[in-house]
Amino acid sequence: MSELAARLASDCEGEPLWVFVYGSLLWKPAFDHVERRRAVVHGWRRAFCLNIRNYRATPDAPGLMLALARGGSCLGAVFRLPDDDREARILTLLRREISYLVDLPSLRWVSARSSTGAVRALAFYCAHSADDDFIYLPEEEQARRLATAVGHAGSCADYLYNTVVHFEEMGIRDSYLWRMQSLVAKEIDLAFPCEGPNVPFLPDGDAPA
């Protein structure tokens, strides 16, 4: 990965290094940064299309994690990394975000637009058709996986719940995530019925558009 870190640093051509984030890194970036901007990437959308069999899942009960799928747009944020020790900082980021060398093709540069202009930013897990790790399931099937997948790092349902809660706190209202939240809550209610009033997974009401 050292060679890739050097190449990515060279690709910046003296410009600031930005990273586009769209999931849990929004509220826990886990890397040093000197600036953050709310930003939109067009041509990619947030989707539960990354097939996982560990971490928050098992081979017997596979799950899904968020990735970027082709089409639509995605509201997230760009983080600017410090300019010093750029290669070392990129290498640390790669080792944290890329689990295996086969994941490297999902790393790409995207154009992220903010209120102060567009920046070129690195994005992780951009789905492409040549990779079997990315699957495109109907939303009902996505919900079934999210509701049942549990691994050593927790459950996919918790991951979805935390994402929705934090996004609401940040003013990011993703109608797709709210639909998934509702579907997963129904799946959990069916799997673990309880007596008495039904307590929703999140407060009911009109889901944000």
Side-chain angles (χ1 to χ4, degrees), residues 39-203:
V40 175
V41 167
H42 293 282
W44 297 90
R45 69 184 187 279
R46 200 168 10 242
F48 279 104
C49 62
L50 179 59
N51 189 30
I52 60 170
R53 297 181 180 275
N54 54 24
Y55 191 56
R56 291 183 180 271
T58 64
D60 293 333
L64 297 167
M65 296 289 282
L66 285 173
L68 290 177
R70 287 283 188 181
S73 62
C74 180
L75 174 60
V78 286
F79 290 82
R80 182 164 68 87
L81 274 62
D83 293 329
D84 63 305
D85 299 324
R86 178 167 289 180
E87 285 188 31
R89 293 184 184 279
I90 294 175
L91 184 58
T92 298
L93 186 62
L94 290 174
R95 287 173 173 167
R96 182 193 184 280
E97 292 301 310
I98 299 293
S99 301
Y100 306 100
L101 291 177
V102 294
D103 295 328
L104 291 179
S106 68
L107 173 68
R108 63 180 296 125
W109 294 101
V110 296
S111 177
R113 299 183 179 277
S114 71
S115 60
T116 55
V119 298
R120 187 168 176 254
L122 277 178
F124 290 88
Y125 294 103
C126 299
H128 51 94
S129 58
D131 194 332
D132 293 337
D133 285 335
F134 296 103
I135 58 176
Y136 304 95
L137 302 172
E139 290 187 359
E140 291 76 11
E141 181 60 28
Q142 294 177 38
R144 281 191 283 273
R145 283 203 176 201
L146 293 173
T148 57
V150 181
H152 69 272
S155 70
C156 285
D158 279 342
Y159 172 73
L160 170 61
Y161 174 82
N162 285 327
T163 301
V164 171
V165 169
H166 282 92
F167 277 19
E168 281 299 297
E169 293 174 350
M170 300 168 68
I172 297 176
R173 295 177 172 85
D174 188 315
S175 59
Y176 163 71
L177 291 182
W178 272 88
R179 288 197 307 275
M180 295 309 302
Q181 179 68 28
S182 177
L183 290 170
V184 169
K186 291 177 182 177
E187 289 290 332
I188 293 175
D189 284 343
L190 289 173
F192 304 99
C194 60
E195 297 180 359
N198 182 34
V199 179
F201 204 35
L202 276 182

